[in-house]
Amino acid sequence: MNIAVIFAGGHGNRLHTQSRPKQFFEFRGKPIVVYTIEVFQHIQEVDAIVVACLDDWIPYLRSQVEKYELTKVIDIVPGGEKGQDSIYNGLVCAKQHFSDDSIVLIHDGVRPLPMEKTVIECIETTKKKGNCVVCVPATETVAIKNTDGSLEVPNRDNVLMVRAPQCFILKDVLEAHQKALAEGRHDFIDTSSMMNHYGYELHTVTGTAENIKITTPADYFMFKAIIEAREESAVFGF
């Protein structure tokens, strides 16, 4: 089984939305998180979806799931204080429904533009190699700041920007989360960094630049532009 675990438990203060968290900010009357869920709803290889959501917003999200007929959503669970906690809650829910050898596709609720081809490649790579993280090549120079304040500039050809989905075998990623909990670690920036910390060799596929995470107002306007460009391409056959 291939299960998408979508975490949407953050408040998103950087988007400056006073009335609602960023994942529920709307474009054409539809919340961003619904756009995200729809991507996985329409991919045949995805069997089920679990969403971790802000507790107070669960009833609203349930109504949106019903409204947009998102039939693969099997449960909506409360999110946690951090993204790591929300993901863990989603994984625990997946474990209650599916076997240990299932593939889980961990994805941000505010990353609504992954390509179907990329998601399928991620699943196939995980079947062969045990995990897969979607990345894109770095398009700008990246510098690493050392403890003494000096900068180290790696070869850009060797630098990848980590995106999503990030795919793992359910048993493996749950064990890593449980180790982190036992150690009191709640500071992993994402699941790939956690899995790397606990000794997993990570495998990648190349995603697209437009698979952005909507964090700031600029990201939101870029999202709108990409949706409109896709629609124009479909109409004019580009």
Side-chain angles (χ1 to χ4, degrees):
M1 300 292 283
N2 304 317
I3 308 107
V5 174
I6 298 172
F7 60 104
H11 291 275
N13 296 328
R14 281 176 289 180
L15 197 58
H16 307 303
T17 54
Q18 301 298 323
S19 60
R20 59 185 60 203
K22 62 184 177 181
Q23 59 271 36
F24 294 106
F25 204 62
E26 295 180 353
F27 175 54
R28 296 177 179 169
K30 184 189 298 185
I32 290 170
V33 69
V34 171
Y35 282 94
T36 304
I37 296 170
E38 282 182 329
V39 172
F40 295 93
Q41 171 74 29
H42 296 145
I43 296 176
Q44 184 176 352
E45 286 77 2
V46 175
D47 300 298
I49 301 168
V50 174
V51 185
C53 174
L54 284 168
D55 210 353
D56 292 345
W57 285 82
I58 289 178
Y60 174 72
L61 183 54
R62 289 194 190 280
S63 72
Q64 296 297 296
V65 165
E66 183 177 352
K67 175 181 178 180
Y68 290 100
E69 299 181 344
L70 302 172
T71 56
K72 290 184 181 179
V73 177
I74 60 166
D75 208 347
I76 301 172
V77 299
E81 184 177 343
K82 295 187 176 181
Q84 179 181 328
D85 305 314
S86 296
I87 292 168
Y88 178 68
N89 292 350
L91 293 171
V92 169
C93 177
K95 167 67 174 172
Q96 293 169 353
H97 293 274
F98 303 104
S99 62
D100 283 345
D101 61 353
S102 297
I103 291 174
V104 288
L105 301 99
I106 298 170
H107 196 81
D108 308 80
V110 289
R111 201 183 284 275
L113 297 168
M115 300 297 289
E116 177 177 345
K117 177 178 179 289
T118 305
V119 174
I120 294 171
E121 286 179 353
C122 204
I123 292 171
E124 292 303 315
T125 300
T126 304
K127 286 179 180 178
K128 295 174 184 176
K129 299 183 178 180
N131 63 64
C132 185
V133 178
V134 175
C135 298
V136 295
T139 57
E140 297 185 30
T141 300
V142 176
I144 299 171
K145 186 176 181 180
N146 297 315
T147 53
D148 62 1
S150 63
L151 292 182
E152 179 182 345
V153 181
N155 185 338
R156 193 169 70 187
D157 292 340
N158 299 326
V159 177
L160 298 175
M161 311 299 289
V162 176
R163 298 264 170 109
Q166 300 182 6
C167 302
F168 305 95
I169 305 301
L170 178 56
K171 177 178 181 291
D172 294 343
V173 70
L174 256 180
E175 285 181 353
H177 270 270
Q178 288 162 352
K179 286 179 182 178
L181 284 173
E183 296 170 5
R185 292 286 305 271
H186 294 269
D187 58 337
F188 289 106
I189 193 66
D190 66 358
T191 311
S192 67
S193 63
M194 175 189 291
M195 298 299 279
N196 182 68
H197 175 79
Y198 289 116
Y200 286 86
E201 179 183 352
L202 300 179
H203 306 279
T204 68
V205 296
T206 301
T208 59
E210 64 188 39
N211 182 19
I212 60 172
K213 182 178 179 181
I214 300 176
T215 304
T216 66
D219 298 328
Y220 174 74
F221 292 119
M222 189 179 300
F223 162 66
K224 289 175 59 178
I226 292 170
I227 292 289
E228 290 165 354
R230 285 182 177 181
E231 291 173 347
E232 289 181 7
S233 296
V235 170
F236 296 107
F238 295 150

